[in-house]
């Protein structure tokens, strides 16, 4: 037991700090105050969250308190926890993130799950060719590589800074040199004549421009606008992908996109108007909302393929 001088304040232990921080975050209307406090403190101390309660009576050193205080100040300004600690878990992988990339979300795991349900099983020995368009942190590409390591996976992004984050994550998770990254706006670095991709998968921006101002400060003020803004109707990037993906897909190849919960009917109409897809269907997320659009390329005959585009 540590002896204290008369009148000396009791030390700031882990549990005392957690209680104080949780109360402070609540007073600032911070979402998930207890979880935020736990993640920040465990990261700063270099331990797992469960260890906070195993070592709950451990006092903090002065420099640790100073570091934690800076974290609290950043969070109180509504900076996302993931950017403060520099990482976010996705598909049981800890991915590095910063303000150049969108923070991976649980809903996007539905996109990965849908892709896996449509790809040949790992035991089949098949090697499908997949493009993750607009890869950001590389979350989707890395999840697919983990589950289908025999696949040939390409990942594109127009931001070189985002690609640096994705490449670092690939190296961190043993996929350095196994996922082929390239810089370009969607398909600009790919020749359409190739038509060699079995699947194109994307989490494109799909929020309506006018809705951006109503987003939580953590999103509105910190995450990259280019990864969020889907244009006036939220469909600019989605429409671009639908109108061009068929040029790069093999016969009956698949286009998978994460979408907004209320965009199903507009996407169905745009897909029918495009005329390049034989199947358009939707998968729901964990809340029962339409979250993934699945479009299968129409298998045209030789005469149709030879016909000029309209």
């Amino acid at each position: 037991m540590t002896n204290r001088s008369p009148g000396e304040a009791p030390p700031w232990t882990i549990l005392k700090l957690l209680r104080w921080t949780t109360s402070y975050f609540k007073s600032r209307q911070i979402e998930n105050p207890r979880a935020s406090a736990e993640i920040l403190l465990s990261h700063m101390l270099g331990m797992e969250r469960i260890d906070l309660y195993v070592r709950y009576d451990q006092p903090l050193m002065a420099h640790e308190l100073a570091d934690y205080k800076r974290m609290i100040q950043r969070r109180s300004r509504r900076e996302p926890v993931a950017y403060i600690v520099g990482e976010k878990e996705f598909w049981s992988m800890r991915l590095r993130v910063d303000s150049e990339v969108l923070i991976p979300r649980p809903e996007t795991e539905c996109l990965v799950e849908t892709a896996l349900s449509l790809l040949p099983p790992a035991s089949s020995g098949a090697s499908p060719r997949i493009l993750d368009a607009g890869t950001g942190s590389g979350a989707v590409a890395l999840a697919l590589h983990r589950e289908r390591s025999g696949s040939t996976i390409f990942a594109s992004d127009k931001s070189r800074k985002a690609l640096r984050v994705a490449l670092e994550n690939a190296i961190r998770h043993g996929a350095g040199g196994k996922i082929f990254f390239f810089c370009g706006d969607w398909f600009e670095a790919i020749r359409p004549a190739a038509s060699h991709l079995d699947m194109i998968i994307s989490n494109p921006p799909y929020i309506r421009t006018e809705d951006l101002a109503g987003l939580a400060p953590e999103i509105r003020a910190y995450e990259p606008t280019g990864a969020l803004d889907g244009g006036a109707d939220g469909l600019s990037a989605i429409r671009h992908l639908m109108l061009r993906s068929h040029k790069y897909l093999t016969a009956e190849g698949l286009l998978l996109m994460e979408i907004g919960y209320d965009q199903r009917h507009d996407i169905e109409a745009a897909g029918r108007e495009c005329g390049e897809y034989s199947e358009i269907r939707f998968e729901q997320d964990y809340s029962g909302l339409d979250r993934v659009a699945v479009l299968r390329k129409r298998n045209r005959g030789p005469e149709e393929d030879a016909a000029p585009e309209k």
Side-chain angles (χ1 to χ4, degrees):
M1 181 180 294
T2 302
N3 293 321
R4 297 198 307 270
S5 302
E8 182 181 353
W12 282 97
T13 63
I14 286 175
L15 185 58
K16 184 179 178 181
L17 269 176
L18 285 176
R19 288 172 173 168
W20 184 92
T21 308
T22 300
S23 177
Y24 178 72
F25 283 163
K26 283 182 178 177
S27 72
R28 306 279 296 191
Q29 289 79 51
I30 300 296
E31 187 177 3
N32 300 319
R34 184 72 174 201
S36 294
E38 290 175 352
I39 294 169
L40 293 176
L41 187 55
S42 61
H43 176 81
M44 191 276 297
L45 293 173
M47 62 176 67
E48 298 296 324
R49 286 171 67 179
I50 188 64
D51 293 330
L52 295 174
Y53 296 96
V54 175
R55 299 160 62 177
Y56 68 94
D57 59 348
Q58 174 181 314
L60 271 69
M61 306 292 288
H63 70 276
E64 293 173 331
L65 286 170
D67 290 344
Y68 188 54
K69 180 180 179 180
R70 284 189 287 271
M71 286 181 157
I72 292 172
Q73 291 171 337
R74 291 174 66 180
R75 185 69 186 108
S76 67
R77 293 192 291 267
R78 306 300 289 269
E79 184 174 354
V81 169
Y83 289 158
I84 297 173
V85 302
E87 64 181 25
K88 178 69 174 180
E89 185 170 303
F90 182 86
W91 207 260
S92 300
M93 297 179 290
R94 288 187 177 181
L95 302 180
R96 190 178 86 76
V97 294
D98 62 23
S99 59
E100 298 297 335
V101 300
L102 200 68
I103 298 170
R105 288 162 167 78
E107 292 85 355
T108 303
E109 293 196 349
C110 298
L111 181 66
V112 175
E113 289 171 355
T114 302
L116 294 174
S117 72
L118 295 167
L119 289 168
S123 60
S124 69
S127 182
R129 298 169 68 87
I130 305 166
L131 169 65
D132 176 18
T135 193
S137 66
V140 170
L142 280 164
L144 292 177
H145 175 267
R146 168 170 283 195
E147 303 299 333
R148 298 292 189 274
S149 58
S151 302
T152 302
I153 300 177
F154 305 91
S156 70
D157 204 289
K158 66 179 180 180
S159 167
R160 291 186 182 276
K161 292 180 179 179
L163 283 174
R164 281 198 287 270
V165 175
L167 182 57
E168 182 176 327
N169 282 323
I171 293 170
R172 175 186 287 194
H173 292 283
K178 298 176 183 178
I179 296 175
F180 302 95
F181 295 97
F182 62 91
C183 189
D185 190 7
W186 301 118
F187 303 112
E188 69 178 8
I190 308 175
R191 290 184 301 170
S195 296
H196 65 292
L197 296 170
D198 298 292
M199 178 181 287
I200 296 171
I201 188 168
S202 182
N203 178 15
Y206 54 77
I207 298 173
R208 297 175 183 84
T209 302
E210 67 177 8
D211 292 339
L212 293 174
L215 297 175
E218 285 87 346
I219 302 173
R220 182 183 69 244
Y222 290 96
E223 297 202 61
T225 302
L228 298 167
D229 190 349
D233 62 357
L235 297 175
S236 294
I238 289 173
R239 195 176 291 110
H240 180 91
L241 287 166
M242 283 195 295
L243 292 174
R244 290 165 177 77
S245 290
H246 66 91
K247 300 177 182 178
Y248 306 89
L249 289 168
T250 56
E252 299 191 5
L254 294 164
L255 168 62
L256 275 65
M257 299 177 290
E258 182 174 327
I259 64 170
Y261 71 93
D262 59 351
Q263 295 176 329
R264 173 176 182 152
H265 297 302
D266 289 336
I267 291 172
E268 284 179 320
R272 287 194 299 269
E273 183 179 352
C274 174
E276 297 294 342
Y277 302 96
S278 61
E279 177 188 3
I280 305 172
R281 63 183 180 84
F282 299 85
E283 297 292 333
Q284 297 179 327
D285 62 18
Y286 310 126
S287 300
L289 301 173
D290 291 319
R291 188 58 64 188
V292 180
V294 179
L295 293 84
R296 186 178 297 277
K297 179 180 175 179
R298 188 180 300 281
N299 188 4
R300 298 182 179 278
E303 292 182 1
E304 289 179 293
D305 286 337
E309 291 187 24
K310 296 180 180 179

